[in-house]
Amino acid sequence: MNEPSGEDKAPPALSVVIVAYNSGATLARCVAALAAQTFADFELIIVDNDSPQQEAKPAAAGFPGTRVIEAGGNLGFAAGVNLGAREALGRWLVLLNPDAYPDPDWLAQLVEASRRHPRVLSFTSRQVMAQDRAVLDGLGDVMSGPAIPYRGGYQTPDPGDTPEGEVFSPCGAAMMVDRALFLRLGGLDESFFCYCEDVDFGYRLQLAGEPTLLVPGAVIAHEGSASSGGPKSEFAVFHGTRNRFWVLIKDTPGLLLPLVLPLHLLAVAVIATRREGKLQAGVTWRGLKAAFADLPRVWRSRRAVQSGRRVSALALARAMTWNPNDLRGRRPVIRPLRPSRRGAP
């Protein structure tokens, strides 16, 4: 039997997109883990954000057929992902950080979950620390009442018996989303550059009535912030502070905004005055000032986002956690998958 030509060949089921920047120490290992996947019907796209380490092409050699897209500059994570998504051919778009190493059945677990739940269009992974797999890196993203998002269970012992269930939003380090839905919602917000762009996208999924399912069997080991200097670096604190505020203003329904906004500012003040936060208090303040300086643009974006909301403010509030102990302890918040919440706001 003749092999199908390039024109006749069916598109892959999945498109895995990795954005590479200063990931020379991790990217080849990440690609090797993808090459070992038991589910093989996927393409790999590496977006090279003009990394000074020039690691994309050597790493791509570890997975024949990988497409390397030259971004022409450091576009940031959000724009890099969007570039890859536009070029992707698969029905499902899979995002993977270059410092994340998936278990061999990672993609198979995500695909199987999509078959069990055909109405769910967004999935997230169980993330463990690459340095110690007994410690969690995250079980999906949680949105707290003060609009301080966090990865559920971050840096806590992995209980090992996590149920499959609904979380607030997927973590961009290892997620799968329907590509058509991703593009219809506008992809990642490129103004964020990096940090919280996945939370913003997950919030918009919530507003559209689209749940995100945590798949505990889909496991990746994650280094975390390997290319940006770590979660407490000046870069991370500045962008995290600024972008969290933008998420709040852009995505919070009007009925919740008068409650959430003062809680957020109070939480940021508390974080900045704690012992570990005092060293970065100046950077935190700069991040807030930058957030306020760009409020007119963010408010315009808010109008567009809120005009497309398909769920009530009450339903959105129920998807968040209002228990301060959850935020303080970075507790996972995993709920039974609810019926479709698409409907009039």
Side-chain angles (χ1 to χ4, degrees), residues 3-25:
E3 290 292 324
S5 67
E7 292 182 357
D8 298 331
K9 188 176 180 180
L14 314 178
S15 295
V16 180
V17 173
I18 300 173
V19 178
Y21 185 80
N22 277 349
S23 52

Side-chain angles (χ1 to χ4, degrees), residues 9 188 234 255 278 283:
K9 188 176 180 180
L188 301 184
E234 181 174 333
L255 288 176
K278 286 181 179 179
V283 182

Side-chain angles (χ1 to χ4, degrees), residues 126-164:
R126 180 195 205 97
Q127 298 175 199
V128 297
M129 293 290 187
Q131 301 87 339
D132 183 355
R133 291 178 62 101
V135 178
L136 286 172
D137 180 69
L139 295 171
D141 286 347
V142 182
M143 179 58 72
S144 67
I148 303 291
Y150 64 92
R151 291 206 296 275
Y154 179 67
Q155 291 189 338
T156 65
D158 185 352
D161 58 351
T162 306
E164 182 176 88

Side-chain angles (χ1 to χ4, degrees), residues 44-48 56-61 65-71:
L44 175 58
I45 298 172
I46 299 177
V47 178
D48 181 5
K57 289 182 179 178
T66 297
R67 285 193 281 160
V68 176
I69 299 175
E70 304 288 348

Side-chain angles (χ1 to χ4, degrees), residues 52-201:
Q53 297 178 1
Q54 300 182 337
E55 70 272 23
K57 289 182 179 178
F63 190 84
T66 297
R67 285 193 281 160
V68 176
I69 299 175
E70 304 288 348
N74 184 8
L75 306 182
F77 178 76
V81 165
N82 290 348
L83 176 57
R86 290 192 296 270
E87 296 292 327
L89 301 175
R91 181 263 167 104
W92 293 99
L93 179 67
V94 180
L95 307 187
L96 184 65
N97 275 12
D99 58 355
Y101 317 121
D103 283 4
D105 65 342
W106 175 60
L107 289 177
Q109 291 278 349
L110 291 172
V111 170
E112 176 57 29
S114 73
R115 291 170 178 165
R116 289 197 309 273
H117 304 281
R119 298 193 66 181
V120 177
L121 301 178
S122 172
F123 301 85
T124 196
S125 308
R126 180 195 205 97
Q127 298 175 199
V128 297
M129 293 290 187
Q131 301 87 339
D132 183 355
R133 291 178 62 101
V135 178
L136 286 172
D137 180 69
L139 295 171
D141 286 347
V142 182
M143 179 58 72
S144 67
I148 303 291
Y150 64 92
R151 291 206 296 275
Y154 179 67
Q155 291 189 338
T156 65
D158 185 352
D161 58 351
T162 306
E164 182 176 88
E166 187 175 338
V167 295
F168 187 86
S169 63
C171 177
M175 61 177 277
M176 182 174 84
V177 64
D178 180 86
R179 177 174 171 268
L181 174 63
F182 180 87
L183 295 175
R184 177 166 62 82
L185 293 180
L188 301 184
D189 188 330
E190 298 183 7
S191 68
F192 282 51
F193 193 77
C194 66
Y195 287 100
C196 292
E197 67 287 295
D198 53 349
V199 176
D200 167 66
F201 178 74

